[in-house]
Amino acid sequence: MRFVLAPFRLILVFSSIFIFMAHMAVIFVFVRDKWKRTRSSNFILSRYARLGLFLFNVRVSVLGQEHLPADRGALYVGNHLGYLDVLVLSAKTPACFVTSVEIKNSPFLGQICTMAGCMFVERRNKNNIHNELSELRQGLGMGLNVVIFPEATSTNGEQVLRFRRPLFMSAIDAGAPVLPFCLNYRRIGGAALTLKNRDRVFWYGDMAFLPSIWNLSSSGGVEVDLHYLPMLTTSPELDSTDLAERSQRAVESVFRPVQNI
């Protein structure tokens, strides 16, 4: 049955994407202020993300909701397993996602990310880090939630990679808190997540985007835990390396590796 429904899911998903892009095109035309446009983009993305989770039959259990900041923006940092992470996180909290210039330059995905108000970083160009930190710092200063995946890539779920420290400086400079989070995908199509079925939901390495969308559409449903961890306060005296390490330890404390069964 799930394979019979998959084409219809895909049609609805891509129809929603094109409607979202048309919606955002209107925002880009009429909202000229960059940060007002970004805030609007994040809010609209959050609503479409909820629709996306419904269409893909993704059920999210939220833990640690009491750690969410009530009245200010924060730098959200956590593990990364694929594009579905963005829908899960955005559906809960409107946020600005930070991704790579490579994604920006890729057909279709780049247009979606631009319309969604993403910020882009060139991870291989260390000379541009000050400009990128400035943009993140401004966003946090405007009270936006900013999400980074400090592993600098999506993974296969077997471990949490070392958190890269440079972008943590944006929170220190802006005086914004850091909120670690952890994503644990538990079940796919009613079965426990394992090495055998993880590629139906994860997107990593050199996996192609469209076949991955098909796999997710025909997965039979996904269950995932989104675990928010206690906020880490920042100060000018704080070292970004220490902040990255503390964030990673928090994420690893609740991370569940994919099981080889």
Side-chain angles (χ1 to χ4, degrees), residues 39-214:
R39 189 181 299 276
S40 297
S41 299
N42 298 164
F43 179 82
I44 294 169
L45 174 64
S46 180
R47 271 50 191 173
Y48 277 92
R50 296 177 189 178
L51 174 61
L53 294 182
F54 172 77
L55 294 177
F56 284 125
N57 192 19
V58 178
R59 296 178 291 280
V60 182
S61 299
V62 179
L63 302 93
Q65 190 165 335
E66 67 275 11
H67 300 307
L68 289 171
D71 55 357
R72 63 184 304 189
L75 183 69
Y76 288 62
V77 300
N79 61 316
H80 190 23
L81 299 154
Y83 55 83
L84 187 55
D85 301 348
V86 174
L87 298 185
V88 172
L89 291 162
S90 183
K92 177 58 187 176
T93 305
C96 180
F97 290 83
V98 179
T99 188
S100 67
V101 170
E102 289 81 8
I103 292 293
K104 180 181 181 181
N105 294 334
S106 64
F108 191 57
L109 273 180
Q111 284 74 26
I112 294 174
C113 291
T114 299
M115 290 295 189
C118 291
M119 299 181 188
F120 300 97
V121 297
E122 175 54 86
R123 300 186 187 278
R124 294 174 296 187
N125 183 2
K126 296 183 179 180
N127 296 327
N128 198 41
I129 187 65
H130 294 295
N131 294 331
E132 293 165 350
L133 285 174
S134 176
E135 186 176 28
L136 269 65
R137 182 170 59 247
Q138 290 178 53
L140 290 167
M142 294 295 294
L144 298 178
N145 295 314
V146 177
V147 179
I148 64 172
F149 297 109
E151 294 169 291
T153 187
S154 53
T155 74
N156 60 14
E158 295 179 22
Q159 63 178 326
V160 177
L161 302 182
R162 179 177 64 85
F163 279 12
R164 310 293 177 88
R165 67 179 180 84
L167 298 184
F168 282 86
M169 279 302 304
S170 61
I172 295 173
D173 292 343
V178 172
L179 185 71
F181 64 83
C182 182
L183 291 160
N184 284 306
Y185 289 85
R186 295 187 293 107
R187 301 182 70 81
I188 303 174
L193 179 75
T194 68
L195 296 180
K196 295 179 180 179
N197 63 13
R198 65 181 174 188
D199 287 0
R200 288 196 167 276
V201 63
F202 293 172
W203 187 54
Y204 59 93
D206 59 357
M207 294 172 66
F209 179 64
L210 290 179
S212 180
I213 286 282
W214 170 261

